[in-house]
């Protein structure tokens, strides 16, 4: 919280947007903000929405940058934000998976330089720079949006069919190793290199409802 307060103080007219969840925490947060002399209007508490797309519909472009949490990064919400074109600034000095989720995402998206901070002080510095340098912000946001809107094939980060194929390959390798009583070791997956096309996504969508109905029929008959 102190880092976010520091960013607020260095970026004129900025607003910190926090999720109103859990509501029981609000009095403590508001009391702490008052103790730091942060005006009430500088911090907005947004009501919880079950559907993240409802949040976007009701709040539009309220948030321009997501300031990631540490040592536990944003996960589902963070992915929704990035896919919506909102840059995600994170600390990259974590040592475990939960603290390096966004670091890995930004590397794959080619945004590690402006959005991955190696320390707390760098995190604050990069946030202020991103908020006060319009040219840099537009470059970062444009690059992020372009990864999600590639016209001929999906970017590796957003390519879910490709991810599923690689994940399944890992499971098969793990199963084979177990059956063959091989010594436990790391599993290395060779990416098949096939980028999913919009046409393939459309085919998957067309077949999705039929597949669901088949699964439901199979479950009800057993």
């Amino acid at each position: 919280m102190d880092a976010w307060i520091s960013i607020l103080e260095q970026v004129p007219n900025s607003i910190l947007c926090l999720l109103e969840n859990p509501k029981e925490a609000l009095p403590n947060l508001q009391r702490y903000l008052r103790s730091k002399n942060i005006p009430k209007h500088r911090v907005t508490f947004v009501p919880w929405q079950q559907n993240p797309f409802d949040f976007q519909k009701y709040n539009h472009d309220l948030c321009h940058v997501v300031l990631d949490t540490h040592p536990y990064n944003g996960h589902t919400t963070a992915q929704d934000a990035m896919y919506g074109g909102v840059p995600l600034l994170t600390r990259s000095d974590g040592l475990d998976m939960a603290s390096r989720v966004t670091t890995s995402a930004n590397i794959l998206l080619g945004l590690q330089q402006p959005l991955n901070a190696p320390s707390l002080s760098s995190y604050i510095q990069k946030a202020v720079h991103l908020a006060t340098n319009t040219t840099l912000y537009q470059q970062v946001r444009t690059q992020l949006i372009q990864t999600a809107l590639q016209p001929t094939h999906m970017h590796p980060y957003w390519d879910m069919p490709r991810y599923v194929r690689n994940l399944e390959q890992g499971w098969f390798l793990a199963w084979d190793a177990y059956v063959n009583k091989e010594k436990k070791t790391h599993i290395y997956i060779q990416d098949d290199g096939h980028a999913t096309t919009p046409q393939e996504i459309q085919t998957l969508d067309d077949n999705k409802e039929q597949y669901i109905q088949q699964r439901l029929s199979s479950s009800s008959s057993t």
Side-chain angles (χ1 to χ4, degrees):
M1 178 61 76
D2 286 340
W4 293 345
I5 290 174
S6 176
I7 294 166
L8 272 179
E9 292 173 337
Q10 296 181 63
V11 181
N13 301 317
S14 61
I15 295 174
L16 177 63
C17 176
L18 297 175
L19 190 62
E20 195 180 81
N21 184 45
K23 287 188 176 182
E24 293 77 9
L26 263 62
N28 291 334
L29 285 171
Q30 291 167 336
R31 189 180 308 113
Y32 187 73
L33 290 166
R34 287 196 299 271
S35 74
K36 296 294 184 178
N37 299 316
I38 301 299
K40 187 176 180 180
H41 71 274
R42 297 293 301 279
V43 180
T44 298
F45 290 94
V46 180
W48 169 262
Q49 301 289 342
Q50 289 287 353
N51 187 330
F53 296 104
D54 288 339
F55 175 87
Q56 180 68 15
K57 179 172 64 177
Y58 297 140
N59 297 284
H60 301 288
D61 287 333
L62 175 63
C63 298
H64 299 96
V65 177
V66 175
L67 300 175
D68 204 9
T69 50
H70 183 87
Y72 192 87
N73 288 176
H75 289 68
T76 303
T77 304
Q79 309 313 303
D80 291 336
M82 287 194 293
Y83 197 68
V86 182
L88 183 56
L89 176 67
T90 191
R91 284 176 55 180
S92 57
D93 54 336
L95 299 178
D96 52 26
M97 176 268 179
S99 63
R100 297 187 62 81
V101 172
T102 307
T103 294
S104 298
N106 284 335
I107 290 174
L108 188 54
L109 292 166
L111 294 168
Q112 64 269 34
Q113 198 284 326
L115 297 179
N116 286 355
S119 65
L120 179 59
S121 60
S122 175
Y123 176 84
I124 296 172
Q125 181 183 16
K126 283 178 178 288
V128 173
H129 189 43
L130 199 61
T132 56
N133 187 323
T134 304
T135 300
L136 173 64
Y137 174 77
Q138 290 298 340
Q139 289 174 345
V140 171
R141 187 167 190 264
T142 298
Q143 182 175 337
L144 178 58
I145 292 173
Q146 286 176 343
T147 66
L149 296 179
Q150 293 185 167
T152 58
H153 60 277
M154 298 191 73
H155 186 280
Y157 188 74
W158 306 115
D159 194 338
M160 288 300 101
R162 183 176 181 177
Y163 177 86
V164 169
R165 291 194 304 271
N166 289 332
L167 181 61
E168 288 177 338
Q169 181 189 158
W171 284 341
F172 280 123
L173 291 172
W175 175 251
D176 288 342
Y178 171 76
V179 170
N180 296 324
K181 296 182 171 54
E182 297 176 6
K183 182 180 178 181
K184 292 181 180 179
T185 183
H186 296 295
I187 295 175
Y188 295 94
I189 298 171
Q190 183 66 44
D191 180 23
D192 65 11
H194 175 69
T196 307
T197 66
Q199 292 76 18
E200 289 172 322
I201 291 294
Q202 186 60 56
T203 300
L204 289 171
D205 286 341
D206 293 341
N207 294 336
K208 179 175 64 176
E209 188 63 31
Q210 180 181 357
Y211 174 77
I212 292 173
Q213 292 302 323
Q214 289 174 346
R215 294 291 294 179
L216 289 174
S217 298
S218 174
S219 298
S220 61
S221 62
T222 55

